[in-house]
């Protein structure tokens, strides 16, 4: 059975059994800072399980794309070594949100595996929770497996590590039951097909499906102490390894030999001109490249790009690990990885159309990262030289940092140690290196769960009591019959707020827009006959609960009172202009730059808009002009701005675009500009009635914020007009100052800049001449240069010279003394820079690089270079004179 057939069969089975088929969410987690990547099928349903969100279905099934690399779930170092670990994989899952529970979950699993897929029951093993001091053994699961058809001797108890699941320190949790499968050739052999291999060593018996029975809520009762409370509506979360099931059904011993991955390996082998052999170093490298190519293609398609922070940094590590293995073990000396990711796109595009849509962009980004890799390797080797120096001792923390930050390969570090005569066994090196790397990664912020990002359960409880707030802000700016249904002081519920106090107010009806989709929350007032509250922000910690952050200006606001809620209409109008403009600019960027452009974040405020998007180079002045012209053309055409409410599947099928990092329910709001031919996107924000209301549009900046991600800032309406007026004032002042005409202004400024450069150059040259003459004269008088064992050494601190001038001065002084050593130090802006020069006739005895390594640490820094010239610096300018003096001792030490 082909992989595509397995995926389809799974989804069809659960659809037949009343489940809603939900499309895979992007790999970028929506509004969830606790995750680097989506790493399980349940991620997109997390708020449903937590009770913070309602869907119009109680059963769901999906095939979810996942990445596990970095953070708590990290399989990166196991990739290629085992038969089943991957950075990228698909997870098949069925879910129940308070509908069916343990009995049906087990019945569905047995029926699908045994009756639909015809798996041999004598190869199946089932694990259940054995129980501990906190939770009793799951005897019910054992009985249900036997009832389904499993033999009692094939049901095994395991502890919390293997068979108890929890989402976080607090929240839904419960026992789980895992299904394992024996892949070997001797199912009748009791030693081979044996319980000891379940959750044991090797890959022959492999977990294929995990059923999680969410029946408890874990709550914190005091600092570091928790208790379990039964959930009123227990739920089901299951996850089947798609690649693992393919291995089972295709009769192969590893997931790498399935039709999902083996074609990629064969393509790599052909590209490299090598034969794929599982046990060879080349075979291992091919598996790494194949797996990492899948992760790269899918991540880039979902807007995750290689960079130096967070998930983007993890992706960069994945890519560079693949590129290194390809170059080092497969013989690729040019760009090759982009060809492999393109093969992945071709293979997977039918199941995941987003790959085809982003094909050109994936190609461009992978090529750019491959080109950067060479430069990074050069930097890594230079830093390796600095770490080792002439020392025989090894700082494994620095080496681990070099590996983790610059991607300098571990085996290259090992070879460098051997070349320097540092004797260490392979086992000792691995142990020390891995320990240092683990400590480094544990101290890193990358991948750590943001506990503050966990939603306080009090909000879900309040939402249950008060119900979903009715939002009238699309049509109204003022509501007179709103009622206060809850008040918070921080995250604690209270009954009232008095004059001068700040707190959070919840209304049953409101015109206030809660911050979402990049649009800032509304401000305004909440007024009753006895009180006035000034609202300075609005947000929604959980879907449906709109919180008004306010300060009480007079009187007392109490739960239960009726109030009038009114937003700042002028601010809202300005925000609406900018929000609709972001949709126009997104469409314009895609038309001018290409369809690879995707939103990568936005801020919509009353006085500006900020739009982040995927693109690999700065916009040219002509491209900026084209985008501005296109947006302003649609503004002047006064196109209608229309919204429709439709099912998410219908919206996506109609061509509507979903926006970066946003979470969508089953029904969505679709915004159309010009009938949807120019712009059609999912958006819950507030917008103008027609594009003419925007007035005008002007881009104010374009900058890079990460590799492959750019940010433009823009203004509309009165702000754009104000910018135009300010620019006119600046131009008029400049014309007056330079005494020129408007059309001559650029050339007048250019002429003035050239004159300024010429004068600065002459001043710098004069300073060098003065410094050379002064130092040279005193050297000739014997005041400055010292003779160390027959070698002239001139060490001097200088001022008022930039770095280039100092280099020129060092040239001049070395020419003057002809044979010797010149050391120059300069301080400024709280830093020190040093340069050392050694004449060619002395480099066999005195190395400039060794001198700099002796004196740079004195000023709190480091340095390096060649035998004839070396540079360094530090952050302790008060120690410069000490470092200058120490240079004489460094030379004497070398000569002796």
């Amino acid at each position: 059975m082909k992989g595509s057939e397995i995926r389809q069969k799974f989804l069809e089975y659960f659809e037949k059994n009343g489940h809603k088929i939900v499309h895979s969410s992007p790999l970028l987690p929506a509004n969830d800072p606790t995750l680097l990547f989506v790493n399980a099928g349940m991620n997109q349903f997390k708020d449903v399980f937590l009770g913070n969100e309602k869907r119009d279905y109680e059963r769901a099934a999906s095939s979810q794309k996942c990445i596990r690399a970095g953070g708590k779930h990290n399989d990166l170092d196991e990739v290629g070594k085992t038969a089943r670990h991957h950075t990228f994989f698909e997870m098949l899952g069925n879910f129940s949100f308070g509908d069916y529970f343990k009995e049906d979950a087990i019945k569905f699993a047995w029926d699908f595996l045994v009756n639909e897929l015809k798996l041999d029951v004598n190869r199946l093993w089932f694990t259940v929770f054995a129980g501990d001091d906190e939770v009793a053994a799951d005897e019910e699961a054992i009985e249900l497996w036997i009832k389904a058809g499993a033999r009692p001797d094939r049901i095994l108890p395991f502890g919390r590590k293997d068979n108890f699941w929890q989402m976080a320190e607090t929240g839904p949790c419960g026992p789980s039951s895992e299904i394992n499968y024996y892949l070997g050739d001797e199912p009748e052999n009791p030693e081979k097909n044996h319980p000891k291999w379940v959750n044991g060593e090797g890959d022959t018996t492999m977990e294929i499906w995990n059923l999680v029975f969410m029946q408890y809520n874990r709550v914190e009762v005091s600092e570091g102490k928790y208790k379990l409370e039964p959930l009123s509506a227990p739920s089901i979360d299951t996850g089947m390894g798609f690649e693992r099931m393919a291995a089972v059904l295709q009769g192969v011993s590893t997931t790498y030999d399935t039709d999902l991955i083996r074609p990629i390996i064969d393509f790599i082998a052909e590209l490299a001109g090598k034969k794929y052999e599982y046990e060879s170093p080349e075979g291992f490298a091919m598996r790494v490249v194949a797996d990492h190519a899948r992760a790269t293609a899918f991540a880039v398609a979902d807007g995750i790009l290689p960079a130096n922070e967070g998930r983007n940094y993890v992706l960069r590590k994945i890519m560079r690990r693949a590129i290194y293995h390809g170059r080092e073990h497969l013989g690729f000396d040019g760009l090759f990885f982009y060809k492999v990711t393109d093969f992945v796109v071709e293979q997977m595009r039918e199941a995941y159309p987003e790959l085809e849509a982003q094909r050109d962009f994936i190609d461009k980004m992978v090529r750019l990262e491959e080109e950067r890799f060479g430069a990074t390797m050069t930097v890594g080797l230079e830093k390796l030289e600095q770490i080792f120096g002439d020392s025989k001792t090894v700082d494994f923390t620095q080496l681990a940092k070099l590996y983790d930050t610059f991607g300098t390969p571990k085996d290259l570090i090992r070879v460098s140690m051997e070349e320097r005569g540092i004797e260490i066994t392979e086992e000792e090196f691995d142990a020390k290196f891995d320990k240092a790397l683990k400590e480094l990664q544990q101290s890193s912020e990358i991948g750590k769960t943001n506990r503050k990002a966990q939603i306080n359960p009090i909000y879900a409880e309040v939402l249950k009591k008060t119900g979903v707030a009715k939002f009238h802000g699309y049509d109204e700016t003022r509501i007179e019959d709103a009622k206060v249904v809850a008040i918070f002081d921080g995250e604690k519920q209270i009954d009232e707020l008095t004059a001068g106090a700040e707190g959070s107010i919840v209304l049953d009806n409101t015109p206030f827009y809660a911050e979402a989709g990049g649009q800032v929350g509304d401000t305004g007032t909440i007024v009753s006959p006895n009180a006035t509250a000034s609202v300075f922000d609005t947000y929604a910690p959980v879907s449906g609960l709109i919180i008004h952050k306010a300060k009480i200006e007079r009187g007392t606001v109490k739960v239960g009172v009726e109030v009038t809620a009114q937003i700042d209409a002028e601010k809202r109008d300005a925000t609406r202009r900018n929000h609709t403009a972001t949709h126009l600019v997104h469409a314009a960027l895609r038309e001018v730059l290409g369809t690879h452009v995707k939103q990568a974040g936005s801020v919509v405020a009353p006085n500006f808009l900020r739009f982040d998007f995927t693109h690999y180079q700065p916009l040219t002045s002509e491209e900026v002009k084209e985008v501005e012209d296109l947006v302003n053309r649609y503004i002047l055409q006064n196109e209608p701005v229309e919204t429709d409410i439709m099912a998410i599947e219908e919206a996506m099928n109609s061509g509507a675009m979903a926006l970066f990092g946003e979470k969508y329910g089953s029904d969505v709001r679709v915004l159309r500009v010009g009938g949807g031919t120019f712009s059609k996107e999912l958006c819950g924000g507030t917008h103008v009635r027609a594009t003419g209301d925007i007035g005008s549009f002007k881009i104010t900046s374009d900058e890079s914020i990460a590799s492959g991600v750019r940010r433009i800032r823009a203004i509309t309406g009165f702000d754009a007009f104000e910018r135009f007026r300010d620019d006119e004032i600046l131009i008029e002042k400049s014309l007056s100052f330079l005494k020129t005409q408007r059309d001559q202004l650029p050339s007048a400024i250019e002429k003035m800049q050239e004159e300024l450069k010429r004068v600065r150059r002459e001043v710098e040259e004069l300073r060098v001449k003065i410094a050379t003459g002064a130092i040279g004269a005193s050297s000739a008088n014997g005041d400055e240069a010292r003779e160390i064992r027959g070698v002239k050494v001139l060490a001097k601190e200088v001022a008022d010279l930039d770095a280039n001038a100092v280099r020129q001065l060092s040239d001049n002084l070395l020419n003057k003394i002809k044979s010797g050593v010149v050391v120059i130090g300069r301080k400024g802006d709280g830093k020190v820079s040093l340069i050392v020069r050694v004449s060619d006739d002395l480099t066999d005895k005195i190395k400039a690089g060794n001198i700099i390594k002796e004196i740079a640490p004195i000023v709190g820094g480091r340095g390096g270079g060649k035998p004839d010239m070396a540079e360094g610096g530090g952050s302790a300018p008060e120690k410069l004179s000490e470092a200058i003096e120490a240079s004489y001792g460094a030379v004497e030490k070398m000569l002796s």
Side-chain angles (χ1 to χ4, degrees):
M1 191 182 290
K2 290 182 179 178
S4 57
E5 294 170 339
I6 298 167
R7 188 192 295 114
Q8 191 61 31
K9 197 172 185 69
F10 179 89
L11 296 175
E12 286 176 353
Y13 173 82
F14 282 100
E15 187 173 38
K16 184 176 66 179
N17 284 283
H19 292 66
K20 171 80 170 178
I21 305 304
V22 181
H23 192 267
S24 172
S25 70
L27 286 165
L28 182 73
N31 296 331
D32 191 347
T34 68
L35 290 174
L36 281 175
F37 306 97
V38 166
N39 59 29
M42 62 77 59
N43 288 166
Q44 67 169 310
F45 305 115
K46 182 176 176 180
D47 282 344
V48 184
F49 284 123
L50 288 168
N52 298 331
E53 181 186 337
K54 293 286 184 187
R55 299 278 176 102
D56 62 357
Y57 47 83
E58 294 179 319
R59 300 182 176 196
S62 68
S63 177
Q64 175 66 50
K65 50 192 178 182
C66 303
I67 285 181
R68 287 189 179 175
K72 182 181 175 183
H73 299 286
N74 186 5
D75 290 341
L76 184 59
D77 289 334
E78 298 301 315
V79 170
K81 296 177 185 176
T82 73
R84 65 187 189 278
H85 282 99
H86 301 283
T87 52
F88 173 86
F89 62 96
E90 289 181 72
M91 186 178 284
L92 303 174
N94 58 289
F95 310 92
S96 163
F97 313 118
D99 183 21
Y100 64 82
F101 193 50
K102 207 173 290 188
E103 182 170 9
D104 282 337
I106 288 174
K107 184 180 71 176
F108 285 143
W110 178 272
D111 184 44
F112 182 70
L113 294 175
V114 176
N115 300 322
E116 294 288 325
L117 299 183
K118 310 296 183 188
L119 295 191
D120 181 357
V121 294
N122 294 314
R123 289 174 176 266
L124 291 171
W125 294 92
F126 309 91
T127 69
V128 296
F129 182 52
D132 57 20
D133 294 340
E134 190 177 21
V135 183
D138 196 352
E139 300 291 344
E140 183 187 6
I142 296 174
E143 292 172 9
L144 290 170
W145 278 120
I146 294 171
K147 181 180 176 182
R151 289 186 354 225
D153 63 314
R154 305 192 76 80
I155 305 170
L156 311 173
F158 281 89
R160 186 171 286 260
K161 175 178 174 288
D162 295 297
N163 281 88
F164 195 90
W165 181 92
Q166 60 188 56
M167 192 179 295
E169 288 293 332
T170 59
C173 59
S176 68
S177 182
E178 294 180 346
I179 303 166
N180 289 258
Y181 188 85
Y182 171 70
L183 286 164
D185 299 328
E186 303 176 64
E188 295 81 15
N189 186 335
E191 277 303 307
K192 298 289 180 72
N193 188 7
H194 190 278
K196 68 181 176 182
W197 305 118
V198 177
N199 289 334
E201 294 179 0
D203 296 315
T204 307
T205 300
M206 184 165 62
E207 178 203 338
I208 56 173
W209 203 349
N210 186 21
L211 316 181
V212 176
F213 311 128
M214 278 195 265
Q215 62 191 82
Y216 301 109
N217 183 34
R218 193 167 191 252
V219 295
E220 190 168 15
V221 291
S222 62
E223 186 68 34
K225 292 188 177 180
Y226 304 89
K227 72 172 183 177
L228 296 180
E229 297 175 346
L231 285 173
S232 58
S235 297
I236 291 294
D237 160 28
T238 86
M240 176 194 287
F242 176 45
E243 289 80 4
R244 297 183 185 195
M245 184 52 69
V248 168
L249 293 172
Q250 293 172 13
V252 294
S253 58
T254 83
T255 54
Y256 290 95
D257 289 316
T258 64
D259 72 328
L260 300 168
I261 305 175
R262 184 55 187 264
I264 308 172
I265 292 174
D266 291 340
F267 175 78
I268 295 165
E270 184 180 349
L271 204 61
K274 296 179 183 294
K275 185 180 178 183
Y276 174 62
E277 294 175 345
Y278 188 87
E279 297 295 343
S280 68
E282 292 83 1
F284 168 72
M286 289 177 196
R287 291 193 294 277
V288 169
V289 174
D291 170 88
H292 291 5
R294 295 197 334 146
T296 298
F298 276 92
V300 174
D302 280 347
I304 301 168
L305 306 175
N308 291 329
E309 291 183 358
R311 64 179 61 90
N312 309 85
Y313 171 62
V314 176
L315 176 60
R316 172 163 279 170
K317 281 173 66 174
I318 290 170
M319 295 176 73
R320 291 187 172 179
R321 190 168 184 262
I323 296 165
Y324 171 73
H325 278 287
R327 292 187 177 191
E328 186 69 16
H329 301 297
L330 300 178
F332 294 115
D333 56 3
L335 304 187
F336 77 95
F337 192 48
Y338 76 95
K339 296 176 184 176
V340 186
T341 54
D342 191 66
F343 185 86
V344 171
V345 171
E346 186 62 33
Q347 189 187 36
M348 303 287 285
R349 63 192 177 96
E350 285 187 22
Y352 294 98
E354 60 267 31
L355 290 173
E356 181 61 43
Q358 293 295 312
R359 187 175 208 143
D360 291 344
F361 187 60
I362 294 168
D363 177 272
K364 186 74 176 180
M365 290 312 303
V366 176
R367 283 175 186 255
L368 282 173
E369 193 61 26
E370 281 198 86
E371 288 164 359
R372 287 193 191 98
F373 180 77
T376 304
M377 282 292 289
T378 302
V379 173
L381 289 171
E382 288 174 357
K383 291 195 173 290
L384 199 59
E385 182 70 33
Q386 291 174 11
I387 290 170
F388 284 126
D390 293 328
S391 174
K392 295 288 184 182
T393 59
V394 180
D395 185 343
F396 277 93
T397 300
Q398 290 294 326
L399 295 178
K401 192 177 289 186
L402 196 63
Y403 165 83
D404 202 48
T405 305
F406 291 91
T408 307
K410 187 175 170 182
D411 49 358
L412 185 60
I413 294 171
R414 176 93 171 91
V415 168
S416 296
M417 289 173 66
E418 289 176 354
E419 288 174 348
R420 287 168 172 77
I422 301 172
E423 295 182 5
I424 186 170
T425 65
E426 193 78 34
E427 293 75 18
E428 187 183 358
F429 172 81
D430 287 339
K432 289 185 175 181
F433 188 92
D434 293 346
K435 180 175 181 287
L437 183 63
K438 186 177 180 181
E439 289 171 355
L440 180 71
Q441 291 176 341
Q442 283 175 343
S443 66
S444 168
E445 291 302 310
I446 294 172
K448 281 190 179 177
T449 298
N450 182 354
R451 290 199 66 188
K452 290 182 180 177
Q454 302 288 350
I455 296 169
N456 192 317
I458 189 73
Y459 293 130
E461 291 172 22
V462 170
L463 185 60
K464 273 184 191 173
K465 291 178 187 173
T466 63
V468 173
K470 292 176 183 173
F471 174 62
H472 301 275
Y474 292 126
D475 308 304
E476 307 287 344
T477 59
R478 176 186 171 95
I479 297 292
E480 295 186 350
D481 58 350
K483 182 191 282 188
V484 178
V485 293
I487 299 175
F488 293 95
D489 178 8
E491 292 182 334
K492 182 178 71 175
Q493 261 193 283
I494 56 175
D495 294 325
E496 61 180 41
L497 280 172
T498 56
E502 288 187 5
S504 301
I505 300 171
V506 180
L507 306 177
D508 61 348
N509 291 281
T510 182
F512 284 79
Y513 180 82
E515 180 179 351
Q519 181 175 328
V520 298
D522 276 328
T523 61
T525 57
I526 293 174
V527 179
S528 73
N530 301 317
T532 300
S534 176
V535 178
F536 55 86
D537 193 15
T538 312
Y539 72 103
V542 297
S543 179
L545 187 71
I546 299 176
I547 287 183
H548 310 74
K549 296 193 78 173
K551 181 176 181 181
I552 310 304
E553 304 294 346
R554 71 172 182 90
T556 301
V557 175
K558 298 182 179 181
V559 172
V561 302
E562 288 202 351
V563 295
T564 296
Q566 181 167 331
I567 66 170
D568 184 329
E570 190 176 327
K571 263 189 177 179
R572 164 71 75 79
D573 285 343
T575 304
R576 289 194 301 177
R577 287 193 288 268
N578 285 330
H579 202 158
T580 306
T582 63
H583 288 259
L584 295 179
V585 78
H586 191 187
L589 286 166
R590 287 173 65 84
E591 189 160 317
V592 172
L593 304 178
T595 55
H596 65 271
V597 168
K598 289 177 70 174
Q599 183 189 349
S602 69
V603 171
V604 180
N607 56 336
F608 75 97
L609 69 90
R610 194 183 78 197
F611 192 79
D612 302 342
F613 59 100
T614 52
H615 189 54
Y616 38 80
Q617 61 191 24
L619 273 65
T620 64
S621 56
E622 187 57 37
E623 286 169 340
V624 170
K625 181 177 178 295
E626 281 187 65
V627 171
E628 288 179 336
D629 286 351
L630 201 50
V631 172
N632 281 304
R633 187 177 304 133
Y634 271 87
I635 290 171
L636 292 173
Q637 288 171 195
N638 201 26
E639 297 279 359
V641 177
E642 301 162 306
T643 55
D644 299 305
I645 306 297
M646 57 178 73
I648 181 73
E649 292 85 358
E650 183 188 353
M652 299 305 289
N653 291 336
S654 73
M657 290 186 66
L659 298 185
F660 169 89
E662 283 300 298
K663 196 165 191 173
Y664 300 101
S666 52
D667 287 333
V668 293
R669 187 176 169 86
V670 179
L671 185 88
R672 291 181 289 119
V673 177
T677 55
F678 182 62
S679 174
K680 189 176 189 180
E681 295 183 341
L682 276 56
C683 184
T686 61
H687 292 274
V688 297
R689 292 158 297 178
T691 55
D693 295 348
I694 298 171
S696 58
F697 170 83
K698 179 78 181 80
I699 293 174
T700 57
S701 68
D702 163 44
E703 61 182 326
S704 170
I705 58 168
S707 176
V709 181
R710 300 203 66 78
R711 169 176 292 169
I712 60 171
R713 295 175 187 267
I715 48 179
T716 63
F718 292 112
D719 293 298
F721 177 75
E722 188 71 27
R723 170 70 176 244
F724 168 73
R725 186 161 51 197
D726 289 346
D727 287 351
E728 283 297 302
I729 293 169
L730 284 172
I731 290 169
E732 288 301 323
K733 283 184 177 179
S734 300
L735 292 174
S736 174
F737 178 75
L738 294 171
K739 295 181 174 53
T740 188
Q741 301 298 313
R742 182 178 282 257
D743 60 344
Q744 297 297 313
L745 183 59
S747 59
I749 293 172
E750 188 178 354
K751 185 178 178 182
M752 186 174 68
Q753 284 180 321
E754 287 175 358
E755 180 66 17
L756 186 59
K757 282 179 187 174
R758 184 185 64 77
V759 171
R760 281 179 175 165
R761 190 166 54 248
E762 289 176 354
V763 168
E764 203 60 51
E765 287 171 357
L766 187 58
R767 281 178 175 165
V768 172
K769 284 179 182 177
I770 293 169
T772 303
I775 297 172
S778 58
S779 173
N781 295 331
D783 296 335
E784 296 290 336
R786 296 186 196 174
E787 197 163 294
I788 309 291
R789 293 182 180 262
V791 173
K792 286 182 184 177
V793 180
L794 178 56
K796 182 72 177 173
E797 179 182 339
V798 298
D800 300 325
L801 295 178
D802 64 14
N804 287 330
V806 170
R807 290 190 193 99
Q808 189 178 336
L809 175 61
S810 71
D811 278 342
N812 294 350
L813 293 176
L814 195 61
N815 287 334
K816 272 186 174 290
I817 64 173
K818 293 186 172 52
S819 174
V821 178
V822 172
V823 181
I824 299 176
R826 174 178 66 96
K827 57 187 176 185
D829 299 325
K831 293 181 180 179
V832 174
S833 63
L834 296 160
I835 186 167
V836 178
R837 300 295 305 276
V838 177
S839 58
D840 292 341
D841 62 314
L842 297 173
T843 53
D844 59 332
K845 294 184 286 185
I846 305 169
K847 303 271 192 292
N850 291 344
I851 296 174
I852 209 81
K853 284 175 185 175
E854 286 275 339
I855 64 174
I858 295 171
V859 292
R862 57 172 56 186
K866 299 175 182 176
D868 63 332
M869 185 177 85
E871 293 183 277
S875 55
E878 70 278 2
K879 296 286 189 72
L880 178 55
S881 58
E882 185 182 334
I884 292 291
E885 184 63 30
S887 62
Y888 297 110
V891 173
E892 184 165 15
K893 182 179 171 185
M894 290 173 201
L895 290 172
S896 63

